[in-house]
Amino acid sequence: MTSIELLSPARDLECGIAAIDHGADAVYIGGPSFGARVSACNPMGDIEKLARHAHRYRARVYLALNTTLFDDELATAEATARRAWDAGVDALIVQDMALLELDLPPLPLIASTQMHNMDVSHIRFLERVGFQRVILARELSLELIRGIRRETSIELEAFVHGSLCVSHSGRCYLSAALGGRSANRGACGQPCRLRWNLIDADGRVLERGRHLLSLKDMDRSAHLSDLIDAGVTSFKIEGRLKDAAYVKNITAYYRTCIDSVLESRSDLRRSSGGKTEILFSPDPRRTFSRGSTCFFLHDKDDGVWSPDTSKSLGEEIGIVRQCGTNWFTLDSDAAGINAGDGLCFFNRSRELQGMQVVTADGARVRVHQPVDGLTPGMAVFRNHDHLFLRGLSGRTSRRKCGLSLVFREAPEGFVLEGRDEDGIEASVTLSIPKETAEKPGEAVSTMQRQLSKLADSTFFLSSLEIRTRPCFIRTAELNRLRRELLDAMEEQRQRSYRRPVRLPATGPAALYPVSELDYSYNVSNRKAREFYMRHGVTRIEPAFELQKPSPGTVVMTTRHCIRRCLGACPRNKPCKKLSEPLFMENGGRRFRLDFDCRSCRMLVLIP
């Protein structure tokens, strides 16, 4: 039976616990340093608390140790990995091959998507040198994923939801080229979300102030079965910079979607324990959302571009029919719109404008400030759902493990035995004299009522069997017995948890598929060089961050194609003709666009 994992992001301890409680089978989180989100670092003490919480449900914690490393950082990175092992972490997500040359604890290794896991030969190599799992490049189609599955046996993890990096995973240097903020070092300045001008070879401005590189968000919730059949066993939600409300909503949504698939198939099972009860109706549109795309999953552009804004749009709530100074009516009932909601629309210049709701009655909505630029026929979106977000600040889930109890007599008094859904057992003894109850029925009812009270624990009651004659036992004694049994079960669950360990690479040293590495392989230290050379590489160019880029250097490779979006793809007929080369310009900085139509890729280069 195949285990299916829902993997959620954790910005911090609060988000990590929220993810576990809302059904995540695993979470990934950054440690004190070397995570690919420098603003999402966490002390190891918090990670230890998160691991303890996760392990009670047999869920896992993966530490993101996935930046490139410089020589003077290797010792600290090794120490961080050892501290992660001591804290209870279950695996390391890594990018830099130097880590394989260090004295690491036996934590399984997961190849970060920044390693650009797109080619079968590259992934086969990672499997041979000891990686347990690869995080697939987002650009892969179902067909390509199937091909990787046929040729390898390594675990396959795929992103299914969240913000999209426009560049091929791990090969973006635009931020570093613009301001020295390296994406591979966790400090991306997100220039892909800025406004750019598009200029042709004759100097004409084809697009002015547009988000030329900004994409919608990924949503593959409708394709989970297809991904499972293609060989994916871990479904990853992007979002280590997102807040707890987002994590709760999106995790709960995918928990519901995956459970629906699992219920329909006997060959699949959930990879962690417990039962998750969601206490609200999750909806991806009601937390951060730029619109949705399945992003080339079927090897075609399904509308990935978001040229008018890089901000959250949320959900469309209607089309404007009439409007006044600070009010408007919609073509549908405004039920569900509430005071405090944030709304937005695109004016005639395609600029996003915001407004806040005062009241909504029927189809009429009144807002705080005068509405400038809103006209009939425009679509209105809700990008801040006040009541929904307020609800998410409270208790929105219950996650519990099934527990069967047996209460029986023993020579020294009474024994309460517990056995949970994973077969873990514990028992506690109540040493008191046995007094026959004057009211047998009431005595048995008291036993059942008091021993069934598991509400604030990790467990829900699967069954309770009373194997004793009716005896008088004080309520306080029954409550103490129950509490001690629950504490013992909790301790046994923690003790019995077994972390996976890394299996050593076996056989002769594998040869890397290519013998020469350019800067895009991100080799930034001597240990990484030693690793590749030990595996047959003969020439290694330093990482982008270690050299001054020259004209013609590619700083981004992407499936997103501006020429296609403008109707100028030569594969389509009719095809608009543009005067090339094309250039992107922002704040006096210019980059050239090249088009590799054979591979259906766009390249961004230093001119």
Side-chain angles (χ1 to χ4, degrees):
M1 187 174 288
T2 303
S3 295
I4 302 300
E5 177 184 271
L6 172 59
L7 176 57
S8 292
R11 181 180 69 182
D12 51 27
L13 176 61
E14 178 192 5
C15 290
I17 290 175
I20 296 298
D21 289 350
H22 287 76
D25 300 303
V27 296
Y28 61 105
I29 188 169
S33 55
F34 308 127
R37 298 288 187 273
V38 292
S39 56
C41 295
N42 293 276
M44 206 59 75
D46 281 358
I47 292 171
E48 184 173 4
K49 292 175 184 176
L50 177 58
R52 186 171 179 84
H53 183 74
H55 293 166
R56 64 162 45 109
Y57 302 108
R58 299 307 186 251
R60 293 160 298 283
V61 174
Y62 306 144
L63 185 76
L65 196 67
N66 57 339
T67 62
T68 55
L69 302 167
F70 294 153
D71 282 315
D72 61 354
E73 296 170 330
L74 294 176
T76 305
E78 181 179 298
T80 299
R82 293 199 163 278
R83 291 174 61 203
W85 171 261
D86 293 339
V89 164
D90 296 280
L92 297 177
I93 303 171
V94 304
Q95 171 186 187
D96 200 314
M97 289 297 200
L99 290 165
L100 277 73
E101 298 289 290
L102 303 181
D103 184 19
L104 296 182
L107 281 165
L109 299 180
I110 299 173
S112 170
T113 190
Q114 291 167 282
M115 294 179 76
H116 196 51
N117 302 315
M118 203 166 184
D119 178 75
V120 171
S121 59
H122 167 72
I123 293 172
R124 190 186 296 119
F125 171 81
L126 294 178
E127 182 175 18
R128 290 190 62 188
V129 298
F131 281 87
Q132 176 180 306
R133 177 187 294 187
V134 293
I135 307 172
L136 297 170
R138 293 171 172 89
E139 294 79 13
L140 287 169
S141 66
L142 277 171
E143 182 180 356
L144 291 174
I145 295 173
R146 291 189 195 102
I148 292 169
R149 178 71 299 150
R150 283 193 298 268
E151 298 294 326
T152 67
S153 58
I154 196 169
E155 293 178 16
L156 303 182
E157 177 183 312
F159 282 95
V160 291
H161 198 94
S163 300
L164 283 161
C165 292
V166 63
S167 180
H168 278 187
S169 305
R171 299 200 172 188
C172 185
Y173 310 95
L174 183 58
S175 177
L178 278 170
R181 295 180 59 180
S182 168
N184 292 301
R185 299 274 296 161
C188 182
Q190 295 193 308
C192 56
R193 300 296 182 183
L194 298 177
R195 293 182 179 273
W196 296 81
N197 296 329
L198 182 66
I199 301 167
D200 70 8
D202 300 319
R204 289 179 298 220
V205 178
L206 305 180
E207 299 284 338
R208 186 180 299 278
R210 300 272 272 170
H211 297 274
L212 296 179
L213 299 175
S214 187
L215 304 183
K216 296 176 183 177
D217 292 344
M218 179 186 283
D219 183 343
R220 291 177 169 174
S221 57
H223 306 279
L224 300 180
S225 289
D226 293 334
L227 285 162
I228 291 172
D229 291 338
V232 174
T233 54
S234 178
F235 296 108
K236 187 171 193 172
I237 298 168
E238 181 279 336
R240 276 204 297 126
L241 297 180
K242 297 295 198 302
D243 61 16
Y246 178 90
V247 171
K248 287 182 178 182
N249 184 34
I250 304 303
T251 301
Y253 177 71
Y254 276 86
R255 180 74 272 156
T256 302
C257 293
I258 291 173
D259 284 349
S260 179
V261 175
L262 299 186
E263 288 166 6
S264 67
R265 296 181 54 167
S266 60
D267 60 325
L268 306 174
R269 67 177 181 86
R270 181 175 175 174
S271 69
S272 67
K275 178 180 178 182
T276 307
E277 181 185 2
I278 305 301
L279 305 178
F280 70 106
S281 297
D283 185 342
R285 301 169 303 172
R286 300 177 79 174
T287 45
F288 192 97
S289 173
R290 298 184 179 96
S292 63
T293 170
C294 66
F295 197 61
F296 301 105
L297 190 62
H298 301 286
D299 206 22
K300 61 182 180 180
D301 185 343
D302 63 332
V304 303
W305 198 24
S306 179
D308 296 319
T309 184
S310 60
K311 298 178 180 179
S312 174
L313 277 178
E315 57 180 332
E316 183 175 329
I317 59 172
I319 305 297
V320 175
R321 295 182 63 185
Q322 295 178 301
C323 51
T325 303
N326 64 341
W327 63 270
F328 60 90
T329 60
L330 296 170
D331 61 351
S332 57
D333 196 329
I337 302 174
N338 300 285
D341 282 354
L343 308 180
C344 59
F345 66 96
F346 291 106
N347 63 22
R348 294 199 180 278
S349 299
R350 298 303 297 168
E351 296 170 331
L352 193 66
Q353 304 293 308
M355 47 191 174
Q356 188 177 34
V357 175
V358 177
T359 59
D361 184 16
R364 186 183 179 97
V365 180
R366 189 163 67 89
V367 296
H368 274 290
Q369 65 276 22
V371 179
D372 185 22
L374 187 67
T375 60
M378 289 182 173
V380 175
F381 302 83
R382 174 167 56 187
N383 57 4
H384 179 86
D385 191 325
H386 180 65
L387 289 185
F388 185 76
L389 292 174
R390 189 170 71 181
L392 286 177
S393 65
R395 180 157 194 179
T396 47
S397 70
R398 295 189 190 96
R399 183 168 183 175
K400 294 181 178 293
C401 301
L403 178 64
S404 297
L405 297 177
V406 174
F407 184 59
R408 62 176 178 82
E409 290 186 43
E412 63 272 34
F414 301 90
V415 174
L416 181 62
E417 300 171 335
R419 180 184 175 88
D420 70 16
E421 61 188 43
D422 295 308
I424 296 165
E425 299 177 330
S427 64
V428 292
T429 300
L430 179 62
S431 299
I432 59 172
K434 298 169 187 173
E435 301 179 38
T436 301
E438 295 180 1
K439 299 179 180 179
E442 185 176 318
V444 172
S445 294
T446 299
M447 294 177 196
Q448 291 174 331
R449 183 174 62 255
Q450 300 308 123
L451 296 177
S452 298
K453 293 180 178 180
L454 311 184
D456 295 327
S457 73
T458 304
F459 305 96
F460 68 88
L461 187 65
S462 295
S463 64
L464 171 60
E465 189 176 349
I466 305 293
R467 295 182 188 170
T468 177
R469 52 195 168 85
C471 291
F472 171 73
I473 306 174
R474 290 181 176 81
T475 298
E477 297 286 5
L478 290 170
N479 289 341
R480 180 172 62 84
L481 189 68
R482 182 194 69 241
R483 288 193 299 268
E484 289 178 359
L485 186 280
L486 293 176
D487 288 344
M489 286 297 304
E490 281 274 12
E491 188 59 33
Q492 281 296 98
R493 284 190 70 82
Q494 290 290 342
R495 276 189 199 167
S496 62
Y497 180 76
R498 294 292 177 265
R499 282 187 287 175
V501 294
R502 183 171 74 254
L503 299 176
T506 58
L511 292 178
Y512 195 67
V514 298
S515 60
E516 297 186 357
L517 308 183
D518 64 17
Y519 64 91
S520 68
Y521 286 82
N522 302 330
V523 178
S524 58
N525 60 71
R526 58 183 174 80
K527 285 292 185 181
R529 290 180 63 85
E530 291 172 7
F531 173 87
Y532 282 113
M533 294 183 74
R534 190 160 55 83
H535 291 279
V537 176
T538 57
R539 190 183 73 84
I540 302 174
E541 185 179 341
F544 185 93
E545 292 81 0
L546 297 178
Q547 58 180 305
K548 184 177 181 179
S550 57
T553 299
V554 177
V555 295
M556 178 184 290
T557 304
T558 175
R559 286 292 308 272
H560 166 55
C561 179
I562 292 173
R563 191 163 65 173
R564 181 176 60 237
C565 292
L566 297 180
C569 175
R571 292 186 175 185
N572 299 328
K573 306 297 180 185
C575 170
K576 183 190 297 185
K577 299 297 182 183
L578 301 176
S579 178
E580 298 187 31
L582 303 179
F583 298 89
M584 297 189 328
E585 189 176 66
N586 174 284
R589 294 298 302 272
R590 175 178 283 205
F591 295 87
R592 190 177 87 239
L593 302 181
D594 281 1
F595 301 92
D596 177 4
C597 293
R598 186 168 185 172
S599 301
C600 200
R601 303 182 306 175
M602 182 177 76
L603 310 178
V604 181
L605 303 89
I606 295 174

